[in-house]
Amino acid sequence: MRGWEELYPLPVPPSWVSGAAVGILSLHFIQKLLFPYFWADLRYLLKVLIYGLRMEMYRLQGRVVTVLDEFVKLAEKQPHKPFLIYEGTVHTYRDVDRRSNRIAQVFLQHEALKKGDTVALLMGNEPDFIHVWFGLAKLGCVVAFLNFNVRFRSLLHCVSSCEPKILVVGADLLGTLEEILPKLQKDVSVWIMAKDSMFPNVHTLLDKIEAASEDPVPVNRCSANNLKSAVLYIFTSGTTGTDLLKSATCVLKKKFSASQFWGDCRRYNVTVIQYIGELCRYLCNQPVKEGEKNHKVRLAVGNGVRNDVWREFLERFGAVKICEFYGATEGNICFMNHTGKIGSVGRTNFFYKLFFPFDLIKYDFQKDEPIRNKHGWCEKVKKGEAGLLISKVNAKNPFFGYAGNKRHTEKKLLCEVFKKGDLYFNTGDLMVQDHDNFLYFWDRIGDTFRWKGENVATTEVSDVIVMLDFIQEANVYGVSVPDHEGKAGMASLILKHNASLDLEQMYKQVVTYLPSYACPLFLRVQVSCIIACVYKHLRNLSTERTKKKWK
């Protein structure tokens, strides 16, 4: 009896097919072995390129698409979709659009605002923050987001630097307004989110909003002319527009609550959360409860989470993809950890550096400046060593600087770094690039440090402390605290001759003039200026030794 294969002979593929299959499998094996992140890098790079091409297309068409433009388009397309959920109340895209129209109409009738005028906004987390922002943007105003934690002199400095025509203050920040009102420039018109005012010459907004029309203002008022047109001045830490690009719904709370966080996520079917490192630590410090993985959160985006907290967060709360990123509001470089590598802020490669050129250079901690060789050029660090992150400034990656302070803008630029005529943005951050091209945030240099997710300016704190009549000199810096992200404030003090330290007066001084996160947690009383200088020198040496320990 003949075999089945004799009756129905199986087709034999050409020899090249099997060779090709072996070749493909070999290439796949080599790729996994030598280039394990190839496909992840390619997907991320393509997304970046698509976004860049879209921006270039807008530029060639003479168009500038702002956050407001995207919102108005979505409000027409999906008017009934929730845009904001705040304390259980839903605000649809149409609701926000109409209320922002009312606010635009109020200022159109009561203030002589011109396109390009600046309006400063001092408000907390609430829907009317968005309404006022969008309403003013519809009038073509530049909106300045003030940090509501900042107090007195620092707040007055922020207001004066953006030169606003109007200051809008939230109802829960009237105490802060009372502090600065006597010193505020007389030509700044002040409006408060209330129906009645206890302050002379301060206007109320809520009563006028209720009586205003919902009709939109002329569209030509709100269009930006080009990419260099000012749209926002940002004095706060945070992001804007993340939701609009995906036509999503934003769940907003007045203040963060670790105990209510996961309950809110379940209640509102949250799929993406935004964090700072402290937030993740607060969640991990909560008592363990049943069903902590019972939620729909799939993605967490933010920065500043420690490695141990990162691991604990994943083990405890489930398979949430953490996209740690690095960036600055004014910067021209950013990174995002698109692979999920614990501890990393992102990854680079040849193509990424081609579009976003940056380098890590050697830094002198004693002189507080980049190291230059005998020829006057900066030197790059080796992989595994900490170096100052600098980013090349060019037409594709511009640096627009700071409002009202040309000196600070120039201070952030490094000239003739590697060759004559080149220009780089100095991020002020130390980074490490490992042998797999992952990048890690290492430390901050200069006169700032981060605490509680906020930037602390050491000179600002020192200036407040030396106002005390018993302080001769104050040197403020950040120190690491176990189990906490960032650095806490330490004030090294030298008392005046025959003076004593008045702790009660010191406490009153810092809580009155500084935001809570900037108040120093530790005091170190020095005997003399010489000891203070020696201690500062030893601290810098310690920082440099720590830097060299990185492997």
Side-chain angles (χ1 to χ4, degrees):
M1 186 176 182
R2 289 182 294 177
W4 186 263
E5 65 277 4
E6 295 182 21
L7 293 174
Y8 301 96
L10 297 174
V12 178
S15 58
W16 65 266
V17 173
S18 57
V22 172
I24 292 173
L25 287 173
S26 300
L27 285 174
H28 177 72
F29 177 77
I30 293 172
Q31 178 260 310
K32 286 288 185 181
L33 184 65
L34 301 180
F35 308 101
Y37 304 103
F38 175 81
W39 295 110
D41 287 349
L42 182 62
R43 284 192 297 269
Y44 177 70
L45 190 61
L46 286 175
K47 290 179 181 179
V48 174
L49 287 176
I50 290 171
Y51 180 79
L53 288 172
R54 187 192 306 169
M55 294 293 292
E56 183 66 13
M57 182 182 68
Y58 289 153
R59 187 188 68 81
L60 293 174
Q61 293 174 350
R63 295 173 57 201
V64 177
V65 180
T66 65
V67 171
L68 176 65
D69 296 328
E70 287 293 315
F71 170 78
V72 171
K73 185 168 63 176
L74 289 170
E76 295 175 354
K77 181 180 178 182
Q78 50 186 36
H80 303 295
K81 181 172 181 176
F83 176 54
L84 290 173
I85 300 177
Y86 180 76
E87 307 295 349
T89 302
V90 176
H91 302 260
T92 66
Y93 277 78
R94 175 178 287 176
D95 293 336
V96 175
D97 187 39
R98 289 180 173 178
R99 187 166 177 84
S100 63
N101 284 343
R102 287 176 179 266
I103 291 171
Q105 293 288 357
V106 170
F107 286 115
L108 195 61
Q109 295 172 18
H110 292 84
E111 292 284 354
L113 285 173
K114 304 187 301 295
K115 182 177 177 179
D117 284 347
T118 299
V119 178
L121 189 55
L122 182 66
M123 297 178 69
N125 284 350
E126 57 178 296
D128 273 342
F129 179 100
I130 307 291
H131 299 145
V132 175
W133 167 23
F134 284 0
L136 291 166
K138 287 179 178 181
L139 295 177
C141 293
V142 180
V143 182
F145 295 160
L146 300 176
N147 188 334
F148 60 81
N149 290 306
V150 175
R151 306 280 297 279
F152 203 63
R153 288 201 314 175
S154 299
L155 181 56
L156 285 169
H157 166 74
C158 294
V159 173
S160 64
S161 66
C162 62
E163 300 179 337
K165 300 288 185 182
I166 297 174
L167 171 64
V168 181
V169 182
D172 57 343
L173 291 166
L174 298 184
T176 303
L177 173 63
E178 187 175 11
E179 291 177 356
I180 66 169
L181 203 53
K183 300 284 187 180
L184 195 63
Q185 300 100 306
K186 301 304 179 186
D187 59 343
V188 177
S189 177
V190 180
W191 289 70
I192 60 175
M193 296 299 295
K195 294 184 178 180
D196 302 296
S197 173
M198 57 180 282
F199 306 106
N201 302 317
V202 171
H203 309 282
T204 56
L205 191 53
L206 286 185
D207 55 325
K208 298 175 180 61
I209 292 175
E210 293 177 357
S213 167
E214 292 181 348
D215 295 338
V217 297
V219 178
N220 63 340
R221 286 193 61 114
C222 62
S223 58
N225 297 326
N226 55 63
L227 288 176
K228 292 187 178 180
S229 298
V231 176
L232 291 174
Y233 294 132
I234 301 181
F235 294 88
T236 58
S237 295
T239 59
T240 54
T242 308
D243 300 323
L244 285 171
L245 294 177
K246 297 295 183 181
S247 65
T249 300
C250 175
V251 179
L252 190 65
K253 290 203 73 166
K254 188 71 176 178
K255 289 186 177 180
F256 169 74
S257 170
S259 61
Q260 299 174 14
F261 183 82
W262 291 113
D264 287 338
C265 288
R266 285 188 288 268
R267 184 176 302 113
Y268 300 118
N269 294 317
V270 172
T271 55
V272 179
I273 62 173
Q274 186 179 338
Y275 70 88
I276 58 173
E278 288 289 298
L279 184 148
C280 297
R281 185 176 64 84
Y282 294 152
L283 293 175
C284 289
N285 285 346
Q286 286 291 298
V288 177
K289 298 179 181 178
E290 290 187 12
E292 288 184 327
K293 296 182 180 180
N294 182 23
H295 57 77
K296 296 183 179 179
V297 177
R298 57 178 176 79
L299 181 65
V301 181
N303 53 39
V305 61
R306 294 201 322 263
N307 292 9
D308 57 335
V309 175
W310 190 326
R311 290 188 177 90
E312 183 180 353
F313 186 91
L314 294 178
E315 292 172 2
R316 183 166 166 183
F317 302 116
V320 179
K321 182 178 180 181
I322 295 183
C323 279
E324 179 88 355
F325 71 89
Y326 169 87
T329 302
E330 75 276 26
N332 66 343
I333 186 71
C334 66
F335 305 108
M336 176 167 280
N337 185 343
H338 57 278
T339 64
K341 174 85 169 182
I342 291 179
S344 171
V345 298
R347 180 176 148 74
T348 186
N349 54 51
F350 170 80
F351 295 103
Y352 192 84
K353 290 196 71 171
L354 194 64
F355 292 103
F356 307 100
F358 73 91
D359 281 290
L360 303 179
I361 60 174
K362 295 179 180 179
Y363 191 79
D364 189 321
F365 289 92
Q366 277 65 53
K367 295 182 179 179
D368 202 22
E369 62 184 21
I371 295 174
R372 292 182 180 264
N373 60 26
K374 62 181 180 181
H375 303 293
W377 308 123
C378 294
E379 295 184 339
K380 301 176 185 180
V381 299
K382 298 177 181 178
K383 288 187 177 182
E385 293 181 351
L388 176 65
L389 173 64
I390 60 173
S391 174
K392 194 167 188 177
V393 177
N394 53 35
K396 299 295 182 182
N397 302 287
F399 170 61
F400 296 114
Y402 302 99
N405 201 318
K406 185 178 179 181
R407 183 175 64 87
H408 281 178
T409 298
E410 293 173 348
K411 192 177 177 182
K412 292 294 288 186
L413 294 172
L414 292 175
C415 303
E416 301 190 349
V417 178
F418 300 116
K419 63 181 181 181
K420 192 171 183 178
D422 65 5
L423 189 64
Y424 281 78
F425 171 69
N426 178 0
T427 66
D429 292 323
L430 295 175
M431 306 277 281
V432 174
Q433 180 176 337
D434 69 13
H435 293 277
D436 291 323
N437 292 326
F438 284 99
L439 292 154
Y440 303 84
F441 177 81
W442 183 252
D443 203 354
R444 180 155 291 185
I445 62 168
D447 56 0
T448 62
F449 60 89
R450 282 185 75 81
W451 180 246
K452 300 295 184 183
E454 297 280 357
N455 293 325
V456 180
T458 58
T459 52
E460 176 189 346
V461 181
S462 298
D463 290 345
V464 168
I465 294 176
V466 295
M467 291 167 61
L468 293 165
D469 57 11
F470 53 86
I471 298 295
Q472 177 180 329
E473 185 178 332
N475 176 34
V476 176
Y477 49 92
V479 293
S480 299
V481 179
D483 300 323
H484 287 75
E485 284 84 7
K487 293 186 175 181
M490 167 81 80
S492 177
L493 309 175
I494 298 176
L495 304 180
K496 290 183 177 178
H497 183 63
N498 291 332
S500 59
L501 179 63
D502 188 332
L503 289 175
E504 186 175 342
Q505 194 175 348
M506 170 73 76
Y507 174 80
K508 184 179 179 181
Q509 176 80 355
V510 296
V511 298
T512 299
Y513 293 103
L514 293 172
S516 58
Y517 59 82
C519 294
L521 299 189
F522 307 101
L523 299 179
R524 179 187 294 271
V525 180
Q526 305 289 347
V527 178
S528 67
C529 296
I530 295 176
I531 293 178
C533 291
V534 169
Y535 178 77
K536 184 178 180 181
H537 176 72
L538 291 174
R539 179 170 59 84
N540 288 334
L541 285 177
S542 175
T543 303
E544 188 163 3
R545 289 194 191 103
T546 304
K547 176 197 73 170
K548 291 179 178 178
K549 288 179 182 178
W550 176 271
K551 297 295 182 183

